Amino acid sequence: MRFAEIGQQLRAYRLESGLRAEEIAARLGVSRAALYRYEKGEVIKLDTIRRLAELLKISPLSLLGIGVEYFGRPAAFEERLRQIEEQSDQVLQVGGAVVYPVATEAFDGALAEAWTEAADNSTDRLLARSQVEQMLGLLTARKKLHQSRKPNITAILGEGSMRRMLIDGVAPGLALSERARMRCRLAARAEAEAIAEALDSVPIGLQLGLISGAEPAGPFMVMRGRERAHVVGSCFAPDAHPTTASGVAFITGADEAIGTHQRVAEGAWRDALKGAEAAARVRAMVKDAFPG
């Protein structure tokens, strides 16, 4: 049994639920110390696995890595994604406007400002600020993890997604001040310019392509490590607000899912624009969005 992965799912649930460790331990019929040991990957009794599956509202098979994990909130999804990235040596991304682990400082700065401003305007400011800080911490952890592991990334980004990002800016959909929204748009421009540069220079460990036609129905990633591979399907963009974003993301290690997504990704890479041609297309998009 993959007790380490079960422990990771348990930690992700604790972060998403907002429950105290004592409350979760009580529901599982174990001590708080045992709960923390389970999160670290120690052996879990079968009857506790059954109760944990009931708590997470998934089947025991899914908990054991045979089924599919579903996430209705960005925070738990980001934590689980970080856990998988910790074991991944190769990442294949299809869709979306950015490759978050290599996103610019401008992206992170604008995101923090936008989320913080939205939290300060919330009816429950303290709770909103806490949720924003938690999410920013998870994103920072993903960045640090990438810098230490440096997995190989191949990403096929969507032209439509990038155009929307340039028009709306980072953190779209939030009611922000004119100054904050402009910073978000300028961050989007900086991100697109960095993507164009990477398309031209092809830095070590990063290959980029551009989907100029119809994008996949939903962005996804195929992530491979030494022992296991996963498919990650996400409706949550990296700049999705931690409380207002709505949707369902999924993660599975099923062989048939990995094979199907891999074939779709290979076809997308074959047909994608690359190199100087793709870089010129991105720079034209920037010029269209910022004609001055």
Side-chain angles (χ1 to χ4, degrees):
M1 294 185 184
R2 301 178 183 275
F3 292 112
E5 289 196 13
I6 295 175
Q8 290 173 348
Q9 292 180 60
L10 178 56
R11 172 177 163 75
Y13 171 78
R14 180 162 61 83
L15 288 174
E16 179 178 33
S17 68
L19 296 173
R20 292 180 294 114
E22 293 86 347
E23 295 175 293
I24 296 176
R27 295 185 183 189
L28 293 177
V30 300
S31 67
R32 184 176 66 173
L35 177 72
Y36 288 138
R37 290 199 303 270
Y38 295 159
E39 287 190 1
K40 292 178 180 179
E42 292 193 12
V43 175
I44 307 176
K45 294 180 180 179
L46 287 176
D47 61 335
T48 304
I49 288 178
R50 178 182 55 79
R51 289 195 295 270
L52 179 56
E54 292 174 354
L55 180 67
L56 301 181
K57 294 182 173 57
I58 61 176
S59 72
L61 290 178
S62 293
L63 186 60
L64 294 172
I66 301 172
V68 183
E69 302 171 57
Y70 296 100
F71 303 87
R73 296 181 182 178
F77 171 71
E78 285 292 332
E79 167 61 15
R80 187 70 177 107
L81 181 56
R82 183 199 64 77
Q83 293 167 356
I84 294 174
E85 286 175 331
E86 199 168 25
Q87 307 297 326
S88 298
D89 301 310
Q90 297 179 335
V91 178
L92 176 55
Q93 174 182 327
V94 179
V98 300
V99 184
Y100 180 72
V102 296
T104 61
E105 291 183 5
F107 186 97
D108 288 332
L111 188 60
E113 179 176 335
W115 283 357
T116 300
E117 182 176 299
D120 288 343
N121 294 329
S122 173
T123 54
D124 192 338
R125 179 178 177 275
L126 291 179
L127 176 60
R129 284 293 292 264
S130 175
Q131 292 169 328
V132 164
E133 289 170 5
Q134 179 191 57
M135 193 68 162
L136 290 173
L138 291 170
L139 291 174
T140 298
R142 288 185 60 199
K143 277 278 186 78
K144 290 181 178 178
L145 181 63
H146 174 80
Q147 291 166 1
S148 64
R149 288 186 54 82
K150 298 191 184 314
N152 291 317
I153 297 177
T154 300
I156 311 109
L157 302 177
E159 181 176 340
S161 295
M162 198 170 296
R163 286 188 183 278
R164 288 190 293 273
M165 180 182 72
L166 287 167
I167 293 171
D168 298 331
V170 173
L174 294 180
L176 301 175
S177 64
E178 184 176 344
R179 180 188 61 80
R181 179 49 62 196
M182 178 52 67
R183 181 177 181 184
C184 288
R185 290 199 68 220
L186 292 175
R189 182 175 69 181
E191 194 64 33
E193 289 171 344
I195 289 169
E197 177 61 29
L199 282 162
D200 266 337
S201 62
V202 192
I204 296 174
L206 179 64
Q207 295 185 88
L208 297 179
L210 184 67
I211 303 172
S212 60
E215 297 181 41
F220 67 86
M221 291 184 286
V222 180
M223 309 177 73
R224 296 184 180 275
R226 294 182 180 180
E227 297 183 358
R228 200 172 182 199
H230 292 84
V231 168
V232 177
S234 176
C235 59
F236 301 126
D239 56 351
H241 192 272
T243 59
T244 61
S246 177
V248 178
F250 75 87
I251 296 174
T252 180
D255 290 341
E256 62 272 23
I258 293 167
T260 300
H261 285 80
Q262 181 74 32
R263 288 191 294 274
V264 172
E266 289 172 356
W269 177 254
R270 182 183 60 248
D271 298 336
L273 300 179
K274 305 176 188 72
E277 183 182 10
R281 182 73 67 91
V282 172
R283 291 189 176 104
M285 286 190 279
V286 173
K287 187 175 181 179
D288 289 343
F290 295 87

